[in-house]
């Protein structure tokens, strides 16, 4: 038994010595530490810049097949104000809002000036209202058209309000929508 004790004591002593020497090598100020890298690296060769030749844009192929849904419901990208409207014809939004952060309450007065950019007459307006997707999160106080004509026969759907127009809005025609709501 005494021989086993001596062997395990030697092994323990060697392990302690190895850990101690390993720790000393990584101490700051030690002469065996790795040299610091320079702040900037200068490449040995800088690639040369060659001029880029301009080419004409590739035109996508024209197909004769248009899905029926796309034909009856044009995609928003085709009718977006960014692609079709002049800056003076884009929808204009004016908002006046009062926020009560502690009560998590927002009161908003909004006026939208909208110009019909489509080639069709619009019988009603669809307003997207994301907060109305959550029960009790949105309350519409009033909706008026063209400076004061109240709209009471609007239809509320999940995420939107559909407001019928007294007179359909022709292409290029514009109107003003005023909303008062709380979130």
């Amino acid at each position: 038994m005494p021989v086993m004790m001596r062997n395990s004591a030697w092994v323990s002593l060697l392990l302690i010595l190895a850990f101690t020497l390993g720790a000393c090598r990584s101490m700051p100020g030690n002469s065996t530490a790795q040299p610091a890298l320079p702040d900037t690296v200068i490449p040995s060769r800088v690639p040369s810049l060659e001029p880029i030749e301009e080419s004409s844009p590739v035109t996508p192929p024209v197909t004769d097949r248009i899905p029926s849904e796309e034909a009856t419901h044009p995609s928003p990208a085709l009718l977006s104000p960014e692609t079709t409207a002049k800056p003076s014809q884009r929808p204009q939004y004016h908002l006046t809002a009062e926020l009560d952060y502690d009560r998590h309450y927002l009161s908003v007065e909004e006026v939208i000036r909208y110009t019909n950019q489509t080639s069709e007459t619009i019988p009603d307006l669809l307003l997207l209202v994301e907060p109305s997707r959550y029960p009790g999160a949105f309350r519409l106080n009033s909706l008026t058209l063209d400076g004061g004509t109240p709209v009471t026969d609007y239809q509320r759907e999940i995420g939107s309000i559909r407001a019928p127009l007294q007179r359909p809005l022709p292409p290029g025609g514009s109107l003003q929508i005023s909303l008062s709501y709380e979130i």
Side-chain angles (χ1 to χ4, degrees):
M1 283 280 214
V3 174
M4 271 177 124
M5 291 284 280
R6 274 192 239 149
N7 284 342
S8 65
W10 276 106
V11 171
S12 299
L13 182 62
L14 284 174
L15 286 173
I16 291 172
L17 184 61
F19 287 129
T20 305
L21 289 175
C24 290
R25 292 181 103 195
S26 63
M27 291 179 66
N30 192 343
S31 62
T32 62
Q34 294 288 330
L37 294 174
D39 289 339
T40 58
V41 177
I42 301 171
S44 60
R45 189 185 138 191
V46 177
S48 63
L49 299 176
E50 296 181 21
I52 298 173
E53 293 182 27
E54 291 188 28
S55 61
S56 61
V58 177
T59 305
V62 177
T63 61
D64 293 336
R65 195 176 138 232
I66 297 175
S68 61
E69 184 178 344
E70 230 177 81
T72 57
H73 297 81
S75 94
L78 297 175
L79 301 176
S80 70
E82 291 80 18
T83 59
T84 60
K86 297 175 186 167
S88 63
Q89 294 176 330
R90 292 182 183 149
Q92 298 174 2
Y93 300 86
H94 179 78
L95 294 122
T96 304
E98 185 177 322
L99 172 66
D100 185 340
Y101 185 81
D102 293 332
R103 290 180 42 217
H104 304 273
Y105 172 83
L106 182 69
S107 173
V108 181
E109 301 291 327
E110 180 176 3
V111 178
I112 305 167
R113 185 77 181 157
Y114 175 76
T115 301
N116 181 359
Q117 295 298 309
T118 68
S119 59
E120 299 177 15
T121 300
I122 299 174
D124 55 13
L125 290 176
L126 179 66
L127 303 171
L128 299 180
V129 185
E130 284 300 314
S132 70
R133 293 185 180 276
Y134 306 96
F138 177 81
R139 183 172 71 191
L140 180 64
N141 295 328
S142 68
L143 173 62
T144 60
L145 296 176
D146 286 326
T149 307
V151 177
T152 56
D153 54 345
Y154 59 85
Q155 299 166 352
R156 290 186 67 166
E157 300 167 12
I158 295 175
S160 66
I161 296 173
R162 186 172 298 275
L165 301 176
Q166 289 178 342
R167 286 176 280 129
L169 188 62
S174 62
L175 60 82
Q176 180 173 304
I177 306 124
S178 299
L179 301 137
S180 174
Y181 55 90
E182 299 170 13
I183 300 176

